[in-house]
Amino acid sequence: MDQAYLSLERELAVFLRRARASSGEMARAVHPDLEPAAYGLLVRLEDAGRQRATDLAGYFGVGKATMSRQLRALCDLGLVTREPDPADGRASLVRITEEGRARFTRVRDARRAQYVRKLADWDRGEVAELARLLRQLNTSAEG
């Protein structure tokens, strides 16, 4: 077995375990009843703007039923809302509400401040390279 891939697998496993725990903390900081998996939906909606539920499901690689359940929970908490899609009256677009945006932004800003503190001894070029490599990994995973 190639040692580089074994090392990658080990480090990703640790990273993902910590990321899951962190997502749970961030989700609870946004709203005590928010599921950790739904936090990522807020990230996507804030970054990409309003979207169809089917597009969100495709982006995250989950089924329509899973996406529908997560969006319903976010709607019930007042963090997102659905509105008619002007391009197709049969469909709706999901967008983050002002309340959702305010809560999400507060938590996101605190998380970014943590990154700055934890990576304070890193060179900015190393941080940029890590971001580039993670983007490359995520793009590979989409295909």
Side-chain angles (χ1 to χ4, degrees), residues 3 9 16 29 46 49 63 83 89 105-106 116 135 137 141-142:
Q3 191 60 36
E9 179 183 25
L16 291 172
E46 179 64 16
E83 54 193 36
T105 299
R106 179 180 44 82
V116 169
R135 183 174 35 253
L137 178 65
E142 288 174 15

Side-chain angles (χ1 to χ4, degrees), residues 81-129:
T81 188
R82 293 177 186 261
E83 54 193 36
D85 184 346
D88 181 353
R90 300 167 297 170
S92 64
L93 296 172
V94 180
R95 71 169 176 79
I96 193 167
T97 63
E98 288 306 314
E99 173 72 13
R101 180 171 284 108
R103 288 172 173 257
F104 169 76
T105 299
R106 179 180 44 82
V107 172
R108 183 197 57 203
D109 290 350
R111 182 190 63 204
R112 286 182 181 168
Q114 280 184 332
Y115 289 156
V116 169
R117 282 191 306 275
K118 287 181 179 183
L119 302 177
D121 60 340
W122 285 40
D123 178 89
R124 284 187 68 85
E126 291 174 323
V127 175
E129 179 66 3

Side-chain angles (χ1 to χ4, degrees), residues 11-77:
E11 296 304 324
L12 279 175
V14 171
F15 178 78
L16 291 172
R17 183 174 297 256
R18 288 178 178 160
R20 272 192 229 85
S22 178
S23 283
E25 292 169 12
M26 289 184 293
R28 284 186 298 280
V30 169
H31 192 286
D33 297 327
L34 184 63
E35 293 181 28
Y39 179 82
L41 289 170
L42 295 176
V43 173
R44 180 64 179 168
L45 290 169
E46 179 64 16
D47 287 348
R50 59 190 192 163
Q51 303 210 337
R52 287 184 178 186
T54 53
D55 293 335
L56 288 166
Y59 178 81
F60 287 105
V62 299
K64 291 178 186 178
T66 298
M67 184 56 55
S68 178
R69 183 182 56 75
Q70 290 178 349
L71 289 174
R72 187 171 37 257
L74 285 167
C75 282
D76 291 347
L77 295 173

Side-chain angles (χ1 to χ4, degrees), residues 129-142:
E129 179 66 3
L130 176 59
R132 185 191 69 75
L133 290 170
L134 287 171
R135 183 174 35 253
Q136 184 176 336
L137 178 65
N138 285 329
T139 300
S140 297
E142 288 174 15

